[in-house]
């Protein structure tokens, strides 16, 4: 990480905790109540250990004071299948997996500071007094030592592109959430993100 300098953040990948629409969990308080009554009885799927979806759900469990049973899958699709089959209770997914009601998943909460426009009726974790904001993200970096005039030109080019409505529309069609930040803001975000995530990673068993 020390070999690169941030240029610009492109997108974020918000985390949505979802359940089977026909299942026993109508909302997040129902999940918390069941998990407190039966520690470890509520299971959740992710696309893998230490993915941002795993980290966010583990953080939720710690903040809520509950124990959840993590079931990692090799990708999101197998996890969704398991949840719809009633084999797993919950799943942490990107918003694109729950914006279409045909998916038969019920979004319970999203780990953002404010509701997502594509999911206006999905509350944030903070609305349930769970102070969780965590997302995956995509950004551009340059090798450390790149001349400032080059990094500044690249930053401007990226931010100009991300201000183009047609480009943003294409991003959204791909299920991506645009969240541009310039170099300075991206550097601050990256530092804060690492500070939040590293203790989580250190405390999660790998097996």
């Amino acid at each position: 990480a020390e070999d690169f300098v941030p240029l610009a953040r492109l997108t974020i990948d918000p985390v949505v905790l979802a359940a089977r629409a026909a299942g026993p969990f109508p909302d997040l308080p129902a999940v918390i109540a069941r998990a407190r009554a039966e520690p470890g009885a509520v299971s959740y799927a992710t696309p893998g250990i230490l993915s941002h979806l795993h980290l966010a759900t583990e953080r939720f469990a710690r903040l809520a004071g509950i124990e959840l049973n993590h079931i990692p899958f090799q990708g999101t699709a197998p996890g969704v299948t398991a949840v719809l089959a009633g084999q797993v209770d919950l799943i942490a997914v990107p918003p694109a997996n729950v914006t279409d009601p045909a998916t038969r998943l019920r979004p319970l909460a999203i780990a953002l500071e404010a509701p997502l426009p594509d999911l206006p009726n999905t509350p944030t974790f903070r609305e349930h007094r769970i102070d969780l904001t965590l997302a995956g993200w995509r950004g551009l970096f340059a090798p450390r030592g790149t001349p400032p005039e080059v990094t500044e030109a690249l930053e401007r080019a990226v931010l100009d592109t991300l201000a183009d409505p047609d480009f943003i529309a294409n991003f959204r069609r791909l299920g991506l959430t645009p969240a541009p930040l310039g170099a300075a803001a991206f550097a601050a975000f990256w530092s804060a993100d690492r500070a939040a995530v590293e203790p989580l990673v250190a405390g999660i068993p790998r097996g």
Side-chain angles (χ1 to χ4, degrees), residues 6-77:
L7 288 179
R9 189 180 70 179
L10 307 177
T11 66
I12 57 171
D13 299 321
V15 178
V16 178
L17 188 65
R20 181 166 51 100
F25 298 112
D27 52 31
L28 195 66
V31 171
I32 295 172
R34 172 75 185 283
R36 285 179 176 165
E38 300 180 61
V42 178
S43 58
Y44 72 96
T46 73
I49 294 172
L50 299 184
S51 64
H52 73 281
L53 298 162
H54 177 206
L55 295 177
T57 312
E58 188 65 24
R59 178 69 172 157
F60 154 60
R62 293 183 187 186
L63 291 171
I66 58 177
E67 180 184 341
L68 300 175
N69 182 19
H70 179 219
I71 310 294
F73 287 82
Q74 292 184 337
T76 297

Side-chain angles (χ1 to χ4, degrees), residues 3 12-13 18-19 24 43 46 65 75-76 88 94 117 119 130 135 145 153 165 177 179 181 193 200 207:
D3 294 332
I12 57 171
D13 299 321
S43 58
T46 73
T76 297
V88 182
L119 293 169
I130 303 291
T177 302
L181 288 178
D193 186 65
L200 264 180

Side-chain angles (χ1 to χ4, degrees), residues 44-167:
Y44 72 96
T46 73
I49 294 172
L50 299 184
S51 64
H52 73 281
L53 298 162
H54 177 206
L55 295 177
T57 312
E58 188 65 24
R59 178 69 172 157
F60 154 60
R62 293 183 187 186
L63 291 171
I66 58 177
E67 180 184 341
L68 300 175
N69 182 19
H70 179 219
I71 310 294
F73 287 82
Q74 292 184 337
T76 297
V80 169
T81 299
V83 171
L84 294 179
Q87 299 166 345
V88 182
D89 296 308
L90 310 171
I91 186 167
V93 293
N97 287 90
V98 293
T99 51
D100 183 355
T103 62
R104 295 182 289 145
L105 290 175
R106 175 188 292 123
L108 304 178
I110 189 166
L112 290 177
E113 294 180 355
L116 196 67
D118 290 343
L119 293 169
N121 297 318
T122 300
T124 65
F125 282 91
R126 283 183 171 179
E127 289 177 66
H128 291 290
R129 299 185 179 180
I130 303 291
D131 190 17
L132 174 63
T133 58
L134 197 155
W137 51 267
R138 295 174 178 84
L140 294 178
F141 293 77
R144 186 170 297 279
T146 302
E149 62 272 19
V150 174
T151 59
E152 291 168 7
L154 290 170
E155 177 190 4
R156 284 195 302 273
V158 170
L159 294 179
D160 286 347
T161 301
L162 290 171
D164 183 331
D166 291 335
F167 187 87

